[in-house]
Amino acid sequence: MVYYANYLQFMERARREWLRSLDIEQDKLLANEGIIFVVRAAHIEYLKSARFNDTLDVSVAVAQCGRASITFEQQVTRRVAEMPSSVLCCSGQVKIACVDGATMRPCAIPPLILEKFSVGDVS
């Protein structure tokens, strides 16, 4: 069975890849804008187990954008060959905050970056 904390890693990877697809990467944010994104809160519900070698899909949807934070809705589903639909293994909300890279204090998300975020599914 997949260890429960690994679902958070799967969600992190999906968010990181989604941000990368928008040309938003932590090292570039720090170097160019002096900011980074950090996880502020996570609420996860575990529903079904995934097992070794299962094919998993992780979705990312922007649920809410604030001045200094973004809340994502995420799901991890398991594909099952004999079933027409996937099985929901876990779902959750993860809130990330924009912080100053030097002080680690909350700060506003730059407008050019905020424009890239839109509410909706981006699997």
Side-chain angles (χ1 to χ4, degrees), residues 18 22 60-67 69-74 93 109 113-123:
W18 178 74
L22 297 175
V60 178
V62 176
Q64 184 177 18
C65 278
R67 192 174 85 75
S69 66
I70 305 158
T71 302
F72 293 97
E73 294 280 347
Q74 294 193 257
Q93 283 189 336
I109 300 169
I113 293 173
L114 199 54
E115 288 174 12
K116 295 181 180 189
F117 302 136
S118 62
V119 177
D121 186 35
V122 291
S123 298

Side-chain angles (χ1 to χ4, degrees), residues 20-40:
R20 185 173 285 140
S21 77
L22 297 175
D23 197 32
I24 299 170
E25 296 190 46
Q26 291 279 40
D27 57 343
K28 290 180 184 178
L29 283 177
L30 185 57
N32 299 335
E33 304 289 336
I35 62 169
I36 57 174
F37 289 117
V38 297
V39 172
R40 185 180 186 299

Side-chain angles (χ1 to χ4, degrees), residues 3-121:
Y3 183 63
Y4 78 96
N6 287 342
Y7 292 99
L8 287 168
Q9 291 179 332
F10 302 152
M11 290 177 173
E12 172 72 25
R13 177 76 183 263
R15 286 192 314 278
R16 186 173 57 238
E17 292 302 321
W18 178 74
L19 288 168
R20 185 173 285 140
S21 77
L22 297 175
D23 197 32
I24 299 170
E25 296 190 46
Q26 291 279 40
D27 57 343
K28 290 180 184 178
L29 283 177
L30 185 57
N32 299 335
E33 304 289 336
I35 62 169
I36 57 174
F37 289 117
V38 297
V39 172
R40 185 180 186 299
H43 174 79
I44 309 297
E45 291 189 43
Y46 302 97
L47 305 165
K48 300 279 185 186
S49 296
R51 300 186 192 295
F52 181 74
N53 276 341
D54 280 346
T55 300
L56 302 177
D57 295 306
V58 183
S59 66
V60 178
V62 176
Q64 184 177 18
C65 278
R67 192 174 85 75
S69 66
I70 305 158
T71 302
F72 293 97
E73 294 280 347
Q74 294 193 257
Q75 294 184 333
V76 178
T77 56
R78 174 173 44 97
R79 293 187 205 171
V80 180
E82 61 274 4
M83 295 176 65
S85 60
S86 297
V87 173
L88 181 60
C89 295
C90 132
S91 66
Q93 283 189 336
V94 179
K95 184 174 190 173
I96 63 170
C98 182
V99 299
D100 181 284
T103 66
M104 298 303 286
R105 296 191 50 89
C107 62
I109 300 169
L112 290 175
I113 293 173
L114 199 54
E115 288 174 12
K116 295 181 180 189
F117 302 136
S118 62
V119 177
D121 186 35

